[in-house]
């Protein structure tokens, strides 16, 4: 119906503007999908309302239960990671929390790698504990330590490859095998790999989802990082390949009232087509800068899993670099600055960088730097880490040459060789 018919339809304009008869023609196609915003979703009849099902994505019932925009993003993320089902949550940390709340109950224990993303440890200590769910930390570089710590009460094992900040790459397939053998659920924080460096549901590379292929049960991903790519969205996903496990997570998600905003989903949908290109660019820049650091006497240890000598390098090679020289790594590495430099000097070095900004997170266009206090983060100082002050660098999309010049000037000024 065209515009002139409006006046005839309703006595009052307010009603006419709300119940407007015009519908645009179908058949619109463009590179980006439409953005559907809703709390309320209409049903044509009460009977239709009663019979619609949201759990299997066959229809729409309420904004919180999914819109075309969120369904689309979920399906594309499943393709990225090789999963079958996905739920979206408001942050990466919410993804970790949702997994814990969905699968753990009073009396259960969760095992967490000692180098895990810090807030996951804080979640266990600050929240799960109050529900009578205990946690212990295992040595991510020693699968036998994980094997020893699994008990009858262990319900969930968290995996992270590599560990946040100190970047050790674990023997992921071996740890998943251990969990399988003991019948314990394993969930991977897949933010670093992002579905690109390795396939979490096909760890041996023998066919995604094939019977017998080695797979984590759950992949949690901070979409805030590479899928967003802009440093401007917070979102997370929980991906599975098991309908019953997914339903458990989805029901918990619904009961907790978790959802994501349509505009945020749109932003991630807009960035997703370039994720492969961006990931490779961040990777190349990180390796150029890491190589530069290796030749600097101020660097006591380079922590980048694709570099010879870095903790867990052989495990990165086995999982990510099956055809040698083709493996991918995220654009993120840490440097242990030699112990002869004080914390104040290292802080001044970070402050003295001009292109690198000081800030958390990664995966956006701007390079970031953060010094970390490893002693405060770990149970004990890990034997495979040199003593010193750890600084983590995350690559933006600036030129590697310009970033190296920036590092050079800040090192010269603040970390003198005397
Ligand atoms: C950033 C990050 C998270 C949390 O993501 P947010 O969206 O910031 O909550 C979880 N795990 C890892 C490894 C991360 O880097």
């Amino acid at each position: 119906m065209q515009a002139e018919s409006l006046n005839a339809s309703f006595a009052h304009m307010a009603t006419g503007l709300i119940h407007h008869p015009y519908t645009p023609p179908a058949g619109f196609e463009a590179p980006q999908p439409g953005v559907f915003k809703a709390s309320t979703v209409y049903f044509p009849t009460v009977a239709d309302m009663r019979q619609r099902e949201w759990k299997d994505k066959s229809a729409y019932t309420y904004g919180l239960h999914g819109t075309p925009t969120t369904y689309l993003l979920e399906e594309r993320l499943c393709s990225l990671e090789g999963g079958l089902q996905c739920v979206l949550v408001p942050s990466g940390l919410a993804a970790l929390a949702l997994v814990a709340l969905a699968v753990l109950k009073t009396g259960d224990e969760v095992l967490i790698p000692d180098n895990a993303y810090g807030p996951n440890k804080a979640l266990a200590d600050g929240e799960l504990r109050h529900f009578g769910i205990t946690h212990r930390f295992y040595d991510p570089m020693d699968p036998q330590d994980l094997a020893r710590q699994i008990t009858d009460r262990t319900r969930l094992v968290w995996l992270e490859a590599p560990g946040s900040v100190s970047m050790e790459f674990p023997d992921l397939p071996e740890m998943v095998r251990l969990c399988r053998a003991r019948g314990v659920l394993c969930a991977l924080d897949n933010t670093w790999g992002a579905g690109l460096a390795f396939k979490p549901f096909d760890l041996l590379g023998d066919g995604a989802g094939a019977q017998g292929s080695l797979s984590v049960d759950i992949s949690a991903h901070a979409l805030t990082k590479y899928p967003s790519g802009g440093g401007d969205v917070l979102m997370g996903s929980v991906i599975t390949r098991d309908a019953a496990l997914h339903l458990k997570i989805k029901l918990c998600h619904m009961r907790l009232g978790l959802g994501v905003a349509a505009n945020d989903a749109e932003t991630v949908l807009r960035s997703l087509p370039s994720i492969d290109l961006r990931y490779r660019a961040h990777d190349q820049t990180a390796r150029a800068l890491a190589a530069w650091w290796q030749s600097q006497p101020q660097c006591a240890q380079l922590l980048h899993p694709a570099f010879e000598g870095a903790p867990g390098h052989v495990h990165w090679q086995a999982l990510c670099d099956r055809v040698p020289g083709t493996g991918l790594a995220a654009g993120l590495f840490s440097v242990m600055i030699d112990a002869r430099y004080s914390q104040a000097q290292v802080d001044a070095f970070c402050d003295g960088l001009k292109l690198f900004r000081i800030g958390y997170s990664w995966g956006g266009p701007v390079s970031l730097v953060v010094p970390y206090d490893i002693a405060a983060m770990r149970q004990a100082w890990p034997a495979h880490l040199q003593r010193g002050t750890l600084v983590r660098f995350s690559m933006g999309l600036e030129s590697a040459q310009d970033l190296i010049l920036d590092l050079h000037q800040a090192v010269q000024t603040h970390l003198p060789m005397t």
Side-chain angles (χ1 to χ4, degrees), residues 171-216:
D171 186 348
L172 199 58
E174 181 57 22
M175 297 200 298
V176 171
R177 264 186 220 106
L178 277 171
C179 294
R180 286 273 164 279
R182 304 288 292 272
V184 177
L185 278 179
C186 56
L188 171 72
D189 181 331
N190 195 31
T191 306
W192 182 93
L196 296 163
F198 62 91
K199 294 292 172 194
F201 298 99
D202 182 22
L203 292 170
L204 302 179
D206 56 5
Q211 277 274 291
S213 78
L214 193 66
S215 161
V216 300

Side-chain angles (χ1 to χ4, degrees), residues 90-94 96 117 160 162 164 189 191-192 221-225 233-236 361-362 392:
S91 70
L93 183 52
L96 306 180
Y117 177 68
E160 206 175 314
S164 266
D189 181 331
T191 306
W192 182 93
H221 190 165
L223 307 177
T224 305
K225 309 292 168 49
V233 183
L234 287 154
M235 201 181 292
S361 200
W362 33 281
R392 189 179 76 179

Side-chain angles (χ1 to χ4, degrees), residues 341-379:
Y341 297 101
S342 68
Q343 180 75 59
Q345 283 178 295
V346 174
D347 290 356
F349 157 77
C350 294
D351 289 341
L353 289 164
K354 296 184 165 73
L355 296 179
F356 285 89
R357 302 301 305 265
I358 300 160
Y360 294 114
S361 200
W362 33 281
V366 178
S367 292
L368 300 171
V369 62
V370 177
Y372 283 91
D373 180 2
I374 288 291
M377 294 165 69
R378 302 292 281 266
Q379 309 287 92

